[in-house]
Structures are given as C-alpha cells and as structure tokens.
Amino acid sequence: MTEQMLSPQILLAIVLMPLAAAMAAGLFGRWIGRRAAHLVTIAAVGASFVLSAQVAWQVFTGAVPVYNETVYTWLVSDGIRMEVGFLVDSLSALMMCVVTFVSFCVHVYTIGYMHEDEGYQRFFAYISLFTFAMLMLVMSNNFMQLFFGWEAVGVVSYLLIGFWYTRPSAVFANMKAFLVNRVGDFGFVLGIAGIVYFTGSLDYQDAFAAAPHIATSQLSLGGDVAVSAITLICILLFIGAMGKSAQVPLHVWLPDSMEGPTPISALIHAATMVTAGIYMVARLSPLFEQSAVALSFVLVIGATTALFMGFLGIINNDIKRVVAYSTLSQLGYMTVALGASAYSAAIFHLMTHAFFKALLFLAAGSVIIGMHHEQDMRKMGGLAKVMPITAITCWIGALALIGTPLLSGFYSKDFIIESVHESARWGATYAYWCVLIGVFITAFYACYS
C-alpha cells in the first residue's frame, strides 16, 4: 500500500494565496475599493490557515511522513543549488498554524481599527505580504529560502513601522529597525557562508549531516589564531537571531517600532517576525548542539534580556511600549530555553506567547482608540466601566503573561524555568535566577499597568 504524502500543490497554495491577495489589494486597491481589499486578503489568509491546520493535523497524527522536497530550482552556481523547497514537520506545521491564525485575527481586527485611514488598502496589502514572507521562512528546507523569508519580513516590517510616513517619529523608527536588523543580518549571512564553505550546499539536511565534521574543524582568524568552526558559525547565526528577535544589545529597535499602527504590533512584534529568530535556532538545533560555547552564549544573552527588559517595562508609561518591553522579556525566556537545549519548551512558549501577547496588543489598540489615540497610562483609569469587553480580554492576556495557574503562560514558563534549573551548562545558574526573578518583575508591571 502506497504511503500518503503531503501534496506540494496544497503547500504552494498556503504560501501563494496571501501573496496573490497582497498583489490584488496593493496594485488594484484603488479600483476594487476598501471592502473588496479586506475581503480578498482575509479570505486568502483564512484559507491558508484552514489548509495549514489540515496539514498540521496530518503531520501530528502521523498520517503523512515529514515532507522535504524541492519545488523549484532557481539556479545552480559552481555546484551550489539555489532552490525553493518545503520542509514540513511538526515544528514548521505548528509555526504555519500560529502565523496564519494570528494573521487572520489581525486582518479582521484591522477592519475596525483602520477604517478611517486613507491607506486602508495599502495596509491590508502589507500585512498579507508579511504573512507570505513569514510562511516562506518557516516552511523553507534550505538556507537560501530561509534568508529570502528573513529579509522579506524585514522589508515589510520597515514599510509597516513607517506606515504613517508623514510622522517624523515613524520614519525614524522604521529606519532604526532597518539598520539594527542589518547588523544582525550581516552576522547571519556570514554564518550561512560558513555552512556553505564546509558543505558546498545550502540544504538543511546536508548541513545537519556535516555537523559532526564541522565540530572537529578549525577556522583561522589570521596568524596563529584559530577558533572552533561550529562555535563561530553558530554564534554568527545567533547574531542574526539577536537582531530579528530583539535580544540585548540589538533590542533597541523594537520599542520604537510601536510608532506603527497597533495591528502590526500584534502581528509583527508579538506572534511572528520577532519569533523568527527563535524558530531559526530551533530549526538549526543539530548545529547548535555541537557547540556548548555557542549554547552558553545563547543562554546568557537570553537571560540578560529576560530580566532587564522587564525592569524597563516598569518605568514606561506608554501602554504600547510596556507591552513591547514585555515582548522583549518573553523573547528572552524563549532564548534561555534554546540555550538550555530545551527546544520544545522554547517553541511551546513561542506558541502560547503568540496568542496572549497578540491579545494584549489588540486590547491596547482598543484602549488607544477609545481614548482618542492617547497612549499615556497616567491619563487612563476606570476604563473597565465603559469598556468591559476590552477589560476582560486584557485581564485574560495579562494573567496568562504573568503565569497564572491553569492559563497557558503558567505551563510554558514553568517548563522553561525547570529546564534551566536542571541544566548543567555554563551560565545556567545565572540564567535560572534571571528567569525566576523575571517572573515577579512581569507580575509587577502587568498588575501596575
């Protein structure tokens, strides 16, 4: 009996429907009107989610094997194949569902939030294009496609952060995000170049197969100075993740990116783009597992981010910036889990955080609209009486964030703290106390806010 396989046509449909909708809303938005622009993008992203959920169910239940195939060969240069292909396993299937579902919710929310904005159709085109780029990233089976998705989400985030381009602060914020991410991406490119140098291939499987060999190799830095090849490559790859996932010291762009409309804060800075770095390290875990030094580096950077970004959340008065610093802190928790080799804990927290943080951003947007675009929390109070639904959703998100028992954040954060506590890796003791103290810091600013 022939084993059932995932259909490449379905996988292509999941990726290309948001792209087609983005082109329709962006290129023809003036002619098709507002209603058609949001209907076509919402329908496309909704269909992508339904198909992603179907694929995830088949993968999780074992009805189909892991899909790892090339769909299209772009070019071959000096024996290096540059291809478009998909790797669909439990990790990518989960990310596909998270990306498409949160994107679908943000699309629907945007109808009300942006209804008075002149750039209505353009905004829907951007967020649909962002969904396409993120799907290309999480479904890739090679470094070229990973880098394409990586840079594409960066470009679209630049456009979204500076969406209100007549505001000087928005222009400054999107330029800052773009430049800081270029610093991280430079390290990311060098890391990919190191993989290609040793394997002659851009394919994940070739890199994973060669990992033990790379672990025994040295790279000369000039003269008599040489370093472990796998350690240098992994640290360079993680520098890319530091930029995209806003880890210290490349975190400075994310709070300023709150200049963009609130729906993109939920989409980009809670559930998708900022988690791309976490996903990348988890995907490339066979490489990182070959270097204890690189994992310790990841552990310490994540722990520092988790604790100190929480402190910054306490002293801010802007409602969106407080949620942004909370995002930075929670990304630090995920990074700590990666450094402790608890990849399942990192992805578990990534998934739970995507939902409760998107909920908090959308609730914040509701408050901002209700307060006529006022974001200073010192000027707010007693809003639960006039905005009861928003208050309830905000409390649910905040309770999940601080790790209240029976809510999702409790289980994912507890998983991370216990994993770090059991780790014998260098830096684990420092990381354990950072994430443990960070729990109380999170509870303080969540309740204080």
Coordinates of all heavy atoms in Angstrom, one line a residue, residues 96-171:
M96 N 3.3 27.3 11.0 CA 2.3 27.7 10.0 C 1.0 28.0 10.5 O 0.3 29.0 10.2 CB 2.2 26.5 8.9 CG 3.4 26.3 8.0 SD 3.5 24.7 7.3 CE 1.9 24.6 6.4
C97 N 0.5 27.2 11.5 CA -0.8 27.5 12.1 C -0.8 28.7 13.0 O -1.7 29.5 12.9 CB -1.2 26.3 13.0 SG -1.6 24.8 12.1
V98 N 0.3 29.0 13.7 CA 0.4 30.2 14.5 C 0.4 31.4 13.7 O -0.4 32.4 13.9 CB 1.6 30.1 15.4 CG1 1.9 31.5 16.1 CG2 1.5 29.0 16.5
V99 N 1.2 31.4 12.6 CA 1.4 32.6 11.8 C 0.0 32.9 11.1 O -0.4 34.1 11.1 CB 2.5 32.4 10.7 CG1 2.4 33.4 9.6 CG2 3.8 32.3 11.4
T100 N -0.6 31.9 10.5 CA -1.8 32.2 9.7 C -3.0 32.5 10.6 O -3.8 33.4 10.2 CB -2.2 31.0 8.8 OG1 -2.2 29.7 9.6 CG2 -1.1 30.8 7.7
F101 N -3.1 31.9 11.8 CA -4.2 32.2 12.6 C -4.1 33.6 13.2 O -5.1 34.3 13.2 CB -4.4 31.1 13.8 CG -5.6 31.4 14.6 CD1 -6.8 31.1 14.2 CD2 -5.4 31.9 15.9 CE1 -8.0 31.3 15.0 CE2 -6.5 32.1 16.7 CZ -7.8 31.8 16.3
V102 N -3.0 33.9 13.8 CA -2.8 35.3 14.3 C -3.0 36.3 13.2 O -3.6 37.4 13.4 CB -1.5 35.4 15.1 CG1 -1.2 36.8 15.5 CG2 -1.4 34.5 16.3
S103 N -2.4 36.0 12.1 CA -2.6 37.0 10.9 C -4.0 37.1 10.6 O -4.5 38.3 10.3 CB -1.8 36.5 9.7 OG -1.9 37.3 8.6
F104 N -4.8 36.0 10.6 CA -6.2 36.1 10.2 C -6.9 37.0 11.3 O -7.8 37.9 10.9 CB -6.8 34.7 10.3 CG -8.3 34.7 10.0 CD1 -8.9 34.9 8.8 CD2 -9.2 34.5 11.1 CE1 -10.2 34.9 8.6 CE2 -10.6 34.4 10.9 CZ -11.1 34.6 9.7
C105 N -6.7 36.8 12.5 CA -7.3 37.6 13.6 C -6.9 39.1 13.4 O -7.8 40.0 13.6 CB -6.9 37.2 15.0 SG -7.5 35.5 15.4
V106 N -5.7 39.4 13.1 CA -5.2 40.8 12.9 C -5.9 41.4 11.7 O -6.3 42.6 11.7 CB -3.7 40.8 12.8 CG1 -3.2 42.2 12.4 CG2 -3.1 40.5 14.1
H107 N -6.1 40.6 10.6 CA -6.8 41.1 9.4 C -8.2 41.6 9.8 O -8.6 42.6 9.4 CB -6.8 40.0 8.4 CG -5.6 40.0 7.5 ND1 -4.4 39.5 7.9 CD2 -5.5 40.3 6.2 CE1 -3.5 39.6 6.9 NE2 -4.1 40.1 5.9
V108 N -8.9 40.7 10.5 CA -10.3 41.0 10.9 C -10.3 42.3 11.8 O -11.1 43.2 11.6 CB -10.9 39.8 11.6 CG1 -12.3 40.2 12.1 CG2 -11.1 38.6 10.7
Y109 N -9.4 42.3 12.8 CA -9.3 43.5 13.7 C -9.1 44.8 13.0 O -9.6 45.8 13.3 CB -8.2 43.2 14.7 CG -8.0 44.3 15.8 CD1 -8.7 44.3 17.0 CD2 -7.0 45.2 15.6 CE1 -8.4 45.2 17.9 CE2 -6.7 46.2 16.5 CZ -7.4 46.2 17.7 OH -7.2 47.1 18.6
T110 N -8.3 44.7 11.9 CA -7.8 45.9 11.2 C -9.0 46.6 10.5 O -9.0 47.8 10.3 CB -6.8 45.5 10.1 OG1 -5.6 44.9 10.8 CG2 -6.3 46.7 9.3
I111 N -10.1 45.9 10.2 CA -11.2 46.5 9.5 C -11.8 47.6 10.4 O -12.0 48.7 9.9 CB -12.4 45.4 9.3 CG1 -11.9 44.4 8.3 CG2 -13.6 46.1 8.8 CD1 -12.9 43.2 8.2
G112 N -11.9 47.4 11.7 CA -12.4 48.5 12.5 C -11.3 49.5 12.9 O -11.6 50.7 13.0
Y113 N -10.1 49.0 13.1 CA -9.0 49.9 13.6 C -8.6 50.9 12.6 O -8.4 52.1 12.9 CB -7.8 49.1 14.1 CG -6.8 49.9 14.9 CD1 -6.9 50.0 16.3 CD2 -5.8 50.6 14.2 CE1 -6.0 50.7 17.0 CE2 -4.9 51.3 15.0 CZ -5.0 51.4 16.3 OH -4.1 52.1 17.1
M114 N -8.6 50.5 11.3 CA -8.0 51.4 10.3 C -9.1 51.9 9.4 O -8.8 52.5 8.3 CB -7.0 50.6 9.4 CG -5.8 50.0 10.2 SD -4.7 51.3 10.8 CE -4.0 51.8 9.3
H115 N -10.4 51.9 9.8 CA -11.5 52.2 8.8 C -11.5 53.7 8.4 O -12.0 54.0 7.4 CB -12.8 51.8 9.4 CG -13.3 52.8 10.5 ND1 -12.8 52.7 11.8 CD2 -14.2 53.8 10.5 CE1 -13.4 53.6 12.6 NE2 -14.2 54.3 11.8
E116 N -10.8 54.6 9.2 CA -10.8 56.0 8.8 C -9.5 56.3 8.1 O -9.3 57.5 7.7 CB -11.0 56.8 10.1 CG -12.4 56.7 10.7 CD -12.5 57.6 12.0 OE1 -11.5 58.1 12.4 OE2 -13.6 57.7 12.5
D117 N -8.6 55.4 8.0 CA -7.3 55.7 7.4 C -7.3 55.7 5.9 O -7.9 54.9 5.3 CB -6.2 54.7 7.9 CG -4.8 55.2 7.8 OD1 -4.3 55.2 6.7 OD2 -4.2 55.6 8.9
E118 N -6.6 56.7 5.3 CA -6.5 56.8 3.9 C -5.8 55.7 3.2 O -6.0 55.3 2.1 CB -5.8 58.1 3.5 CG -6.6 59.4 3.9 CD -6.0 60.7 3.5 OE1 -4.8 60.6 2.9 OE2 -6.5 61.7 3.7
G119 N -4.8 55.1 4.0 CA -4.0 54.0 3.4 C -4.6 52.6 3.7 O -3.9 51.6 3.9
Y120 N -5.9 52.5 3.8 CA -6.6 51.2 4.2 C -6.2 50.0 3.3 O -5.8 49.0 3.8 CB -8.1 51.5 4.1 CG -9.0 50.4 4.6 CD1 -9.3 50.3 6.0 CD2 -9.6 49.4 3.8 CE1 -10.2 49.4 6.5 CE2 -10.4 48.5 4.3 CZ -10.7 48.4 5.6 OH -11.5 47.5 6.1
Q121 N -6.3 50.2 2.0 CA -6.0 49.1 1.1 C -4.5 48.7 1.2 O -4.1 47.6 1.1 CB -6.4 49.4 -0.4 CG -7.9 49.6 -0.6 CD -8.4 51.0 -0.5 OE1 -7.9 51.8 0.4 NE2 -9.2 51.4 -1.4
R122 N -3.7 49.8 1.2 CA -2.2 49.6 1.3 C -1.9 48.8 2.6 O -1.0 47.9 2.5 CB -1.5 50.9 1.3 CG 0.0 50.9 1.4 CD 0.6 52.3 1.0 NE 0.1 53.3 1.9 CZ 0.7 53.8 3.0 NH1 1.8 53.2 3.3 NH2 0.2 54.8 3.7
F123 N -2.5 49.1 3.7 CA -2.2 48.4 4.9 C -2.6 46.9 4.8 O -1.8 46.0 5.2 CB -3.0 49.0 6.1 CG -2.6 48.5 7.4 CD1 -1.5 49.0 8.1 CD2 -3.3 47.4 8.0 CE1 -1.1 48.5 9.3 CE2 -2.9 47.0 9.3 CZ -1.8 47.5 9.9
F124 N -3.7 46.6 4.2 CA -4.1 45.2 4.0 C -3.1 44.5 3.1 O -2.8 43.3 3.3 CB -5.5 45.0 3.5 CG -6.6 45.0 4.6 CD1 -7.2 46.2 4.9 CD2 -6.8 43.9 5.3 CE1 -8.2 46.2 6.0 CE2 -7.8 43.9 6.3 CZ -8.4 45.0 6.6
A125 N -2.6 45.2 2.1 CA -1.6 44.6 1.2 C -0.4 44.2 1.9 O 0.2 43.2 1.7 CB -1.4 45.5 0.0
Y126 N 0.1 45.2 2.8 CA 1.3 44.9 3.5 C 1.2 43.7 4.5 O 2.1 42.9 4.5 CB 1.7 46.2 4.3 CG 2.2 47.4 3.6 CD1 2.3 48.6 4.2 CD2 2.6 47.2 2.2 CE1 2.8 49.7 3.5 CE2 3.1 48.3 1.5 CZ 3.2 49.5 2.1 OH 3.7 50.6 1.4
I127 N 0.1 43.7 5.3 CA 0.0 42.6 6.2 C -0.2 41.2 5.6 O 0.3 40.2 6.1 CB -1.0 42.8 7.3 CG1 -2.4 43.0 6.7 CG2 -0.7 44.0 8.2 CD1 -3.5 43.2 7.8
S128 N -0.8 41.2 4.4 CA -0.9 40.0 3.7 C 0.4 39.6 3.1 O 0.8 38.4 3.1 CB -2.0 40.1 2.6 OG -2.3 38.9 2.0
L129 N 1.2 40.5 2.6 CA 2.5 40.3 2.1 C 3.4 39.8 3.2 O 4.2 38.9 3.0 CB 3.1 41.5 1.4 CG 4.5 41.4 0.8 CD1 4.4 40.4 -0.4 CD2 4.9 42.8 0.3
F130 N 3.3 40.3 4.4 CA 4.1 39.9 5.5 C 3.8 38.4 5.8 O 4.7 37.6 6.1 CB 3.8 40.8 6.7 CG 4.5 40.3 8.0 CD1 5.8 40.8 8.2 CD2 3.9 39.4 8.9 CE1 6.5 40.4 9.3 CE2 4.6 39.0 10.0 CZ 5.9 39.5 10.2
T131 N 2.5 38.0 5.8 CA 2.1 36.6 6.0 C 2.8 35.7 5.0 O 3.3 34.6 5.4 CB 0.6 36.5 5.9 OG1 0.0 37.4 6.8 CG2 0.2 35.1 6.4
F132 N 2.8 36.1 3.8 CA 3.5 35.3 2.7 C 5.0 35.1 3.1 O 5.5 34.0 3.0 CB 3.4 36.0 1.4 CG 4.4 35.6 0.4 CD1 4.5 34.4 -0.2 CD2 5.4 36.6 0.1 CE1 5.5 34.1 -1.2 CE2 6.4 36.2 -0.9 CZ 6.5 35.0 -1.5
A133 N 5.7 36.3 3.4 CA 7.1 36.2 3.7 C 7.4 35.3 4.9 O 8.3 34.5 4.9 CB 7.6 37.6 4.0
M134 N 6.5 35.4 5.9 CA 6.8 34.6 7.1 C 6.5 33.1 6.8 O 7.3 32.2 7.4 CB 5.8 35.1 8.2 CG 6.2 34.5 9.6 SD 7.7 35.2 10.2 CE 8.1 34.1 11.6
L135 N 5.6 32.8 6.0 CA 5.3 31.4 5.6 C 6.5 30.8 4.8 O 6.9 29.7 5.0 CB 4.0 31.3 4.8 CG 2.7 31.4 5.7 CD1 1.5 31.5 4.7 CD2 2.6 30.2 6.6
M136 N 7.1 31.6 3.9 CA 8.2 31.2 3.2 C 9.4 30.9 4.1 O 10.1 29.9 3.9 CB 8.7 32.3 2.2 CG 7.8 32.4 1.0 SD 7.9 31.0 -0.1 CE 9.4 31.3 -1.0
L137 N 9.5 31.7 5.2 CA 10.6 31.5 6.2 C 10.4 30.2 6.9 O 11.4 29.3 7.0 CB 10.6 32.7 7.1 CG 11.8 32.8 8.1 CD1 11.9 34.3 8.5 CD2 11.7 32.0 9.3
V138 N 9.2 30.0 7.5 CA 9.1 28.8 8.4 C 8.9 27.5 7.6 O 9.1 26.4 8.2 CB 7.8 29.0 9.3 CG1 8.0 30.2 10.2 CG2 6.5 29.0 8.6
M139 N 8.6 27.5 6.3 CA 8.4 26.3 5.5 C 9.6 25.9 4.7 O 9.6 24.9 4.1 CB 7.2 26.5 4.6 CG 5.9 26.6 5.3 SD 4.5 27.0 4.2 CE 4.4 25.5 3.3
S140 N 10.7 26.8 4.8 CA 11.9 26.5 3.9 C 12.6 25.3 4.3 O 12.6 24.9 5.5 CB 12.8 27.7 4.0 OG 13.3 27.9 5.3
N141 N 13.3 24.7 3.3 CA 14.1 23.5 3.6 C 15.6 23.8 3.3 O 16.4 22.9 3.2 CB 13.6 22.2 2.9 CG 13.9 22.3 1.4 OD1 14.1 23.4 0.8 ND2 13.7 21.2 0.7
N142 N 15.9 25.1 3.0 CA 17.3 25.4 2.7 C 17.6 26.8 3.1 O 16.7 27.6 3.4 CB 17.5 25.3 1.2 CG 16.6 26.2 0.4 OD1 16.9 27.4 0.2 ND2 15.5 25.6 -0.1
F143 N 18.8 27.1 3.2 CA 19.3 28.4 3.7 C 18.9 29.6 2.8 O 18.7 30.7 3.3 CB 20.8 28.4 4.0 CG 21.1 27.6 5.3 CD1 21.6 26.3 5.1 CD2 21.0 28.2 6.5 CE1 21.9 25.5 6.3 CE2 21.4 27.4 7.6 CZ 21.8 26.1 7.5
M144 N 18.9 29.4 1.5 CA 18.6 30.5 0.6 C 17.2 31.0 0.8 O 16.9 32.1 0.9 CB 18.8 30.0 -0.9 CG 18.7 31.2 -1.8 SD 18.2 30.7 -3.5 CE 16.4 30.5 -3.2
Q145 N 16.2 30.0 0.9 CA 14.8 30.4 1.1 C 14.6 31.0 2.5 O 13.8 31.9 2.6 CB 13.9 29.2 0.8 CG 12.4 29.5 0.9 CD 11.6 28.3 0.5 OE1 12.0 27.4 -0.2 NE2 10.4 28.2 1.1
L146 N 15.3 30.4 3.4 CA 15.3 31.0 4.8 C 15.7 32.4 4.8 O 15.0 33.3 5.4 CB 16.2 30.1 5.7 CG 16.3 30.7 7.2 CD1 15.0 30.5 8.0 CD2 17.5 30.0 7.9
F147 N 16.8 32.7 4.1 CA 17.3 34.1 4.1 C 16.3 35.0 3.3 O 16.2 36.2 3.6 CB 18.7 34.1 3.4 CG 19.3 35.5 3.5 CD1 19.8 35.9 4.7 CD2 19.5 36.2 2.4 CE1 20.4 37.2 4.8 CE2 20.1 37.5 2.5 CZ 20.6 38.0 3.7
F148 N 15.7 34.5 2.2 CA 14.7 35.3 1.5 C 13.6 35.7 2.4 O 13.2 36.8 2.4 CB 14.2 34.5 0.3 CG 13.0 35.1 -0.3 CD1 13.0 36.2 -1.2 CD2 11.7 34.6 0.0 CE1 11.9 36.7 -1.7 CE2 10.5 35.1 -0.5 CZ 10.6 36.2 -1.4
G149 N 13.0 34.7 3.1 CA 11.9 35.0 4.0 C 12.4 35.9 5.1 O 11.6 36.8 5.5
W150 N 13.6 35.7 5.6 CA 14.2 36.5 6.7 C 14.2 38.0 6.3 O 13.8 38.9 7.0 CB 15.6 36.0 7.0 CG 16.2 36.5 8.2 CD1 17.1 37.5 8.3 CD2 16.2 35.8 9.5 NE1 17.5 37.6 9.6 CE2 17.0 36.6 10.4 CE3 15.6 34.7 10.0 CZ2 17.2 36.2 11.7 CZ3 15.8 34.4 11.3 CH2 16.6 35.1 12.2
E151 N 14.7 38.2 5.1 CA 14.9 39.6 4.6 C 13.5 40.2 4.2 O 13.3 41.4 4.3 CB 15.8 39.7 3.4 CG 17.3 39.4 3.8 CD 17.8 40.4 4.9 OE1 17.7 41.6 4.7 OE2 18.2 39.9 5.9
A152 N 12.6 39.4 3.6 CA 11.3 39.8 3.2 C 10.5 40.3 4.4 O 9.8 41.4 4.3 CB 10.6 38.7 2.5
V153 N 10.5 39.6 5.5 CA 9.8 40.1 6.7 C 10.4 41.4 7.2 O 9.7 42.3 7.7 CB 9.7 39.0 7.8 CG1 8.8 37.8 7.4 CG2 11.0 38.6 8.3
G154 N 11.7 41.5 7.1 CA 12.4 42.8 7.5 C 11.9 43.9 6.6 O 11.7 45.0 7.2
V155 N 11.8 43.7 5.3 CA 11.4 44.8 4.4 C 10.0 45.2 4.7 O 9.6 46.4 4.8 CB 11.6 44.4 3.0 CG1 10.9 45.4 2.0 CG2 13.1 44.2 2.6
V156 N 9.1 44.2 4.8 CA 7.7 44.5 5.1 C 7.5 45.2 6.5 O 6.7 46.1 6.6 CB 6.8 43.3 4.9 CG1 5.3 43.7 5.2 CG2 7.0 42.7 3.6
S157 N 8.3 44.8 7.4 CA 8.2 45.4 8.8 C 8.6 46.9 8.7 O 8.1 47.7 9.3 CB 9.0 44.6 9.8 OG 10.4 44.8 9.6
Y158 N 9.6 47.1 7.8 CA 10.1 48.5 7.6 C 8.9 49.3 7.0 O 8.7 50.5 7.5 CB 11.3 48.5 6.6 CG 11.6 49.8 6.1 CD1 12.5 50.7 6.8 CD2 11.2 50.3 4.8 CE1 12.8 51.9 6.3 CE2 11.6 51.5 4.3 CZ 12.4 52.3 5.0 OH 12.8 53.5 4.5
L159 N 8.2 48.8 6.1 CA 7.1 49.5 5.5 C 5.9 49.7 6.5 O 5.3 50.7 6.5 CB 6.5 48.7 4.3 CG 7.5 48.6 3.1 CD1 6.9 47.6 2.1 CD2 7.8 49.9 2.5
L160 N 5.7 48.7 7.4 CA 4.6 48.8 8.3 C 4.9 49.7 9.5 O 4.0 50.5 9.9 CB 4.2 47.4 8.8 CG 3.5 46.5 7.8 CD1 3.5 45.1 8.3 CD2 2.0 47.0 7.7
I161 N 6.1 49.7 10.0 CA 6.5 50.5 11.1 C 6.4 52.0 10.7 O 6.0 52.9 11.4 CB 7.9 50.2 11.6 CG1 7.9 48.8 12.3 CG2 8.4 51.3 12.6 CD1 9.3 48.3 12.5
G162 N 6.8 52.3 9.4 CA 6.7 53.6 8.9 C 5.5 53.9 8.1 O 5.5 54.7 7.2
F163 N 4.4 53.1 8.4 CA 3.2 53.2 7.6 C 2.7 54.7 7.5 O 2.3 55.2 6.5 CB 2.1 52.3 8.2 CG 0.8 52.3 7.4 CD1 0.7 51.5 6.2 CD2 -0.3 53.0 7.8 CE1 -0.4 51.5 5.5 CE2 -1.4 53.0 7.1 CZ -1.5 52.3 5.9
W164 N 2.7 55.3 8.7 CA 2.3 56.8 8.7 C 3.6 57.6 8.5 O 4.1 58.2 9.4 CB 1.7 57.1 10.1 CG 0.3 56.5 10.2 CD1 -0.7 56.4 9.3 CD2 -0.2 55.8 11.4 NE1 -1.8 55.8 9.8 CE2 -1.5 55.4 11.1 CE3 0.3 55.6 12.7 CZ2 -2.4 54.7 12.0 CZ3 -0.5 54.9 13.6 CH2 -1.8 54.5 13.3
Y165 N 4.0 57.6 7.2 CA 5.3 58.2 6.9 C 5.4 59.7 6.9 O 6.4 60.3 6.8 CB 5.7 57.7 5.4 CG 4.6 58.0 4.4 CD1 4.5 59.2 3.8 CD2 3.8 57.0 4.0 CE1 3.5 59.5 2.8 CE2 2.8 57.2 3.0 CZ 2.7 58.5 2.5 OH 1.7 58.7 1.5
T166 N 4.2 60.3 7.2 CA 4.3 61.8 7.4 C 4.7 62.2 8.8 O 5.0 63.3 9.1 CB 2.9 62.4 7.1 OG1 1.9 61.8 7.9 CG2 2.5 62.2 5.6
R167 N 4.8 61.2 9.7 CA 5.2 61.5 11.1 C 6.8 61.3 11.1 O 7.3 60.2 10.8 CB 4.6 60.5 12.0 CG 3.1 60.6 12.1 CD 2.6 59.6 13.2 NE 1.2 59.6 13.3 CZ 0.5 58.8 14.2 NH1 1.2 58.0 14.9 NH2 -0.8 58.9 14.3
P168 N 7.5 62.3 11.5 CA 9.0 62.1 11.6 C 9.4 61.0 12.6 O 10.4 60.3 12.3 CB 9.4 63.5 12.2 CG 8.4 64.4 11.8 CD 7.1 63.7 11.8
S169 N 8.6 60.8 13.7 CA 8.9 59.7 14.6 C 8.8 58.3 14.0 O 9.6 57.4 14.3 CB 8.0 59.8 15.8 OG 6.7 59.7 15.5
A170 N 7.8 58.2 13.1 CA 7.6 56.9 12.4 C 8.7 56.6 11.4 O 9.2 55.5 11.3 CB 6.3 56.9 11.7
V171 N 9.2 57.6 10.7 CA 10.3 57.5 9.8 C 11.6 57.1 10.5 O 12.3 56.3 10.1 CB 10.5 58.8 9.0 CG1 11.7 58.7 8.1 CG2 9.3 59.1 8.1

